[in-house]
Structure formats: C-alpha cells, structure tokens
Amino acid sequence: MQDVFCPIKLTGVAASLCDAVNLEKPENAGEKIEVLHKLTDGKGIDRIFMYNPDAVALWIFEKYTDLFTPVMLDSDITLPLQTVMPSVTPVCFATMYTGAEPEIHGIQSYTKPVVKTDSIFDVFIRNGKKPCIVSTGNDSMSKIFLERDMDYFIVETPDEANEKALELIEKDEYDLICVYNGNYDGRMHRVGPEGEEAIEALKHNVKAYETF
C-alpha cells in the first residue's frame, strides 16, 4: 500500500481556533490552518463549539463513508489531519488544544497529568472569554486541562455530556464549549473497531453531531 502523507497537522488546530475568534495562538502552537482561516474570510466569529468523538480513525471514515453523510451535510469542510505519535488520546488531545508537539507539552504516553503548557483555554481566559469542558469522568478531557479558571462539567455518560452541551448552547454563556464522547473508543477497545457495538456507538456519535 502506498504511504499517503497528510501535510495538514494536528498542531495547527489550536492556532486556527484562536484565529477564528481573533485571538493570539497559544505560546507553543503550530501555525494556523489556512483553509480554516479562509472559511471566515478573516472576519472572525463569536462562538466555538468543539465536538470530540474519540478514536474515530481516518480509515474508518474512508471505509464507512456513508455513515458520515449527515456529518458532511452539516459541515462546510471535511479535513484530514496528520496526528502526533504515539497516537493515543491524551497525547493527541494535549497537542490539539495546545498546538504543541508531545515533547513540549509533556504527555508522551498514555498518561493523564495536568498539562501546564499554554493552551487555547488559557488564551481564552486571559482575554476575558469563557471556555468550558464537558466530559465523562476519568477521561483525558476531564483530566489533562484541569487547574484553570474555567468551568468543568463532568458527568457519568456520553449522553449526559451531550445533554449538558445542548443546555449550555441554549444558555449561550460560553465562548468555547468542548465536548468529549468516549463511547466509540471504549467499545472499539472491547470488540474491535468494526465490531457491531463499536459501529453502533459510531452511529450514535454521528447522530449527536447532527443534533448539535
């Protein structure tokens, strides 16, 4: 099989999100993704909602593309990103929200320490904006960005997380809402990426995105 190189890096996400609301990028972040900058014509936006269904690999998207039709119909762009290694949840999420390589933000294995490196959450806070995280307990998103002057909504299940997120959207009190769903990840590790329970969880994630 021919190797495919993806030039658009995960390290550009944090800078792109900050750029979207006309803020400086985190201190160690990679450069913004230009195609995302062009979506707003450089004018900026007011709110960001980040939905994070964990562990959905590109090959799953490529093999089960039809499942993602509602996602693509509700989106302006579908964009592959080059991950960092090792490609496990805490390493990737630390990179996505700081824009820094693993050797800089410090998580280089499946561990969940609090990230001290400047992140999108820190950028929002020091600019007087309100970010929050909605996640199930003991997952990476509920652990690695703690100890910041922001709100954390830690719940028992992905469905509860999504219900809380919808409530927060309606209240419109936050400038950045980051929601984590680990249901596909959990089932995938138990029954395999293409196991029946895993695919059902994936469909559930697609429906959640469509609802948001």
Side-chain angles (χ1 to χ4, degrees), residues 67-202:
L67 293 182
F68 294 88
T69 298
V71 173
M72 291 184 285
L73 289 175
D74 285 332
S75 304
D76 291 314
I77 189 170
T78 303
L79 190 68
L81 296 171
Q82 180 190 150
T83 190
V84 289
M85 297 300 291
S87 56
V88 293
T89 302
V91 179
C92 292
F93 274 70
T95 291
M96 182 161 59
Y97 285 107
T98 66
E101 296 284 354
E103 57 268 24
I104 295 175
H105 62 63
I107 303 183
Q108 301 186 65
S109 62
Y110 195 85
T111 56
K112 303 173 187 177
V114 174
V115 172
K116 304 297 184 181
T117 305
D118 198 38
S119 70
I120 182 174
F121 305 109
D122 301 295
V123 171
F124 271 58
I125 291 166
R126 65 174 171 261
N127 282 278
K129 294 184 178 293
K130 291 183 64 176
C132 72
I133 289 173
V134 186
S135 177
T136 39
N138 205 39
D139 288 308
S140 296
M141 280 296 284
S142 66
K143 295 283 189 180
I144 65 175
F145 296 112
L146 290 173
E147 301 178 9
R148 288 166 167 86
D149 185 18
M150 57 184 280
D151 291 332
Y152 304 87
F153 300 93
I154 310 303
V155 296
E156 294 292 326
T157 69
D159 282 343
E160 287 180 285
N162 297 341
E163 289 169 8
K164 173 55 71 173
L166 289 171
E167 177 188 324
L168 296 177
I169 290 171
E170 288 294 328
K171 289 182 176 180
D172 195 27
E173 296 174 349
Y174 293 93
D175 302 290
L176 170 65
I177 301 173
C178 295
V179 182
Y180 175 86
N181 280 182
N183 48 330
Y184 176 76
D185 183 45
R187 288 180 173 86
M188 177 266 292
H189 283 295
R190 288 199 299 270
V191 302
E194 298 178 88
E196 183 177 350
E197 287 184 28
I199 295 300
E200 285 303 311
L202 181 60

Side-chain angles (χ1 to χ4, degrees), residues 3-14:
D3 289 334
V4 178
F5 175 71
C6 176
I8 305 171
K9 297 183 178 182
L10 188 63
T11 53
V13 172

Side-chain angles (χ1 to χ4, degrees), residues 27-102:
E27 292 174 1
N28 298 286
E31 293 304 312
K32 67 187 176 188
I33 300 167
E34 283 298 328
V35 67
L36 298 183
H37 175 74
K38 291 176 182 178
L39 284 178
T40 65
D41 295 323
K43 297 176 182 177
I45 57 178
D46 296 320
R47 301 282 191 273
I48 294 176
F49 180 85
M50 286 287 287
Y51 177 52
N52 300 273
D54 198 6
V56 183
L58 179 59
W59 71 267
I60 287 288
F61 171 78
E62 291 174 334
K63 186 171 182 178
Y64 296 92
T65 306
D66 287 350
L67 293 182
F68 294 88
T69 298
V71 173
M72 291 184 285
L73 289 175
D74 285 332
S75 304
D76 291 314
I77 189 170
T78 303
L79 190 68
L81 296 171
Q82 180 190 150
T83 190
V84 289
M85 297 300 291
S87 56
V88 293
T89 302
V91 179
C92 292
F93 274 70
T95 291
M96 182 161 59
Y97 285 107
T98 66
E101 296 284 354

